[in-house]
Amino acid sequence: IGDDALILPPSNRDETGIIRIEASKERYFGFNLRKFNAGKSKDTVDFSVAKSQHFAQELYETRIASLQRFVAMTVMFHQMGKRVQKFFEIISFGWWGYRMDRTHSIMRIATTASPVSGADVREQMKYIRLEKKLQKSINTISGAYLRHKDRKEAARIKGLEKKAMRVMDDEDKHLDQPNIPTRK
C-alpha cells in the first residue's frame, strides 16, 4: 500500500461477512478515520470523512428521520382534527358535533424526505448566487454596450443630417445667385 492510501478503521464484518453495527464510541463522527490517518494530507482525509458522513446521513434519513417526520405529522394532524371536532361541538351546543373516526375526510399528507443533504443545498445555493451575479454582470455590460451603440448611432445620424443640411444650404445659395456667364 502506498503512502497516499488511507488507513481505515477495523471492519465491522464478522467471520461470516455480515456487517455488525455497534454504537459509535467516537468523540465525533470521523474521529477514528482522522486518528488512523494523522500524517496524511488533510484534504484527502477530509474528503474521506465527508464521503463516509454522506453515507451515514443517507442511512439516517431513510431509516430514522423519515419515520420521525411521519409520526410527528400524524400526531399533529390528529390533534388538529380533534380540536376541530371539539370546536363544532362547543359552538353548536352539540348539534354540529361529529366523530372524527367516522368521517370520510382521510388526510393524506406528503411527507417525502428531501432527496439532497443540507450541504448539497448549501453548495447549490452558492452556485445559484454566483450564477445570478454573473448574469447581472452580463446584463449590466450588455446594457452599457447597447446604450453606447445607440448614442453612437444617434451621433452618426445627427452628423449625416448636418451634412445633408449643408448640402441643401449650398444648393439653395447656388440657386439664389444669378447665372453669370464665365469666360473660358
Side-chain angles (χ1 to χ4, degrees):
I1 299 176
D3 287 339
D4 291 340
L6 290 176
I7 301 169
L8 299 175
S11 175
N12 293 329
R13 294 186 185 272
D14 63 8
E15 58 279 350
T16 62
I18 297 174
I19 296 177
R20 302 289 180 191
I21 304 293
E22 296 180 17
S24 175
K25 295 177 179 79
E26 294 179 306
R27 281 196 276 175
Y28 60 88
F29 194 82
F31 177 77
N32 288 341
L33 190 62
R34 286 188 191 280
K35 183 173 74 173
F36 287 125
N37 296 286
K40 304 285 183 201
S41 165
K42 183 179 180 330
D43 292 339
T44 307
V45 174
D46 286 347
F47 179 74
S48 296
V49 169
K51 192 173 173 183
S52 67
Q53 286 175 345
H54 180 73
F55 178 66
Q57 285 299 319
E58 282 184 10
L59 287 175
Y60 171 77
E61 180 60 42
T62 57
R63 288 354 182 246
I64 299 166
S66 59
L67 177 64
Q68 286 177 338
R69 276 194 306 279
F70 172 73
V71 170
M73 295 291 275
T74 304
V75 169
M76 180 186 76
F77 282 108
H78 181 270
Q79 281 298 314
M80 201 165 51
K82 198 76 164 160
R83 284 185 180 186
V84 170
Q85 174 185 321
K86 287 181 182 180
F87 171 78
F88 281 109
E89 284 179 12
I90 292 170
I91 66 163
S92 68
F93 303 107
W95 282 92
W96 292 345
Y98 65 94
R99 285 183 45 194
M100 184 173 58
D101 61 327
R102 296 287 189 174
T103 65
H104 293 280
S105 60
I106 300 170
M107 289 188 233
R108 295 184 184 177
I109 309 300
T111 58
T112 306
S114 174
V116 293
S117 71
D120 293 340
V121 171
R122 183 173 41 254
E123 289 301 316
Q124 186 70 20
M125 293 299 292
K126 285 180 184 177
Y127 175 77
I128 290 170
R129 243 183 264 122
L130 180 64
E131 201 173 53
K132 281 184 178 179
K133 283 183 180 179
L134 180 63
Q135 190 60 46
K136 185 177 179 185
S137 300
I138 289 170
N139 291 343
T140 302
I141 292 169
S142 296
Y145 170 73
L146 291 174
R147 285 190 300 276
H148 168 73
K149 188 176 165 186
D150 289 346
R151 282 194 304 267
K152 193 173 179 180
E153 182 65 17
R156 187 181 74 79
I157 291 171
K158 196 171 187 178
L160 289 173
E161 286 174 348
K162 284 183 181 179
K163 188 175 182 181
M165 292 300 286
R166 278 195 304 263
V167 168
M168 287 175 47
D169 286 343
D170 288 346
E171 286 179 2
D172 286 345
K173 286 180 186 176
H174 181 65
L175 291 176
D176 288 343
Q177 292 177 356
N179 282 339
I180 302 172
T182 55
R183 294 186 190 180
K184 289 186 185 178

